[in-house]
Amino acid sequence: MTTQEINKTKLNLIAWIHQLSDMDLISFLDGLKNSRSKKDWWEELTPAQQKVILKGIKDADSGDFISSDEFWKKMKDA
């Protein structure tokens, strides 16, 4: 990602945060900002959890996923 793309993403995030009204989400984001953990949460995952996440990323990158609407329709029809 270029510096210009990073700056654009930051501005988009600022605009998104500015319009938020969900206090739970605002509190979560504030907690994330104030987090002092130096640990990488990835290292705290089990190898099995890491494997599932990496598979999900691979599936998403290859376009092998369904939309949220499709998912909920399948759940409703099940």
Side-chain angles (χ1 to χ4, degrees), residues 23-66:
M23 287 309 299
D24 290 332
L25 184 53
I26 292 168
S27 293
F28 170 78
L29 292 171
D30 190 49
L32 185 62
K33 177 185 70 87
N34 294 324
S35 174
R36 301 201 190 297
S37 176
K38 302 270 189 217
K39 292 182 181 179
D40 184 347
W41 59 268
W42 180 259
E43 300 302 325
E44 296 178 12
L45 298 176
T46 67
Q49 291 169 323
Q50 291 177 356
K51 184 177 178 181
V52 169
I53 291 170
L54 290 173
K55 181 179 181 331
I57 292 170
K58 180 180 174 189
D59 288 347
D61 287 346
S62 67
D64 185 18
F65 59 89
I66 62 172

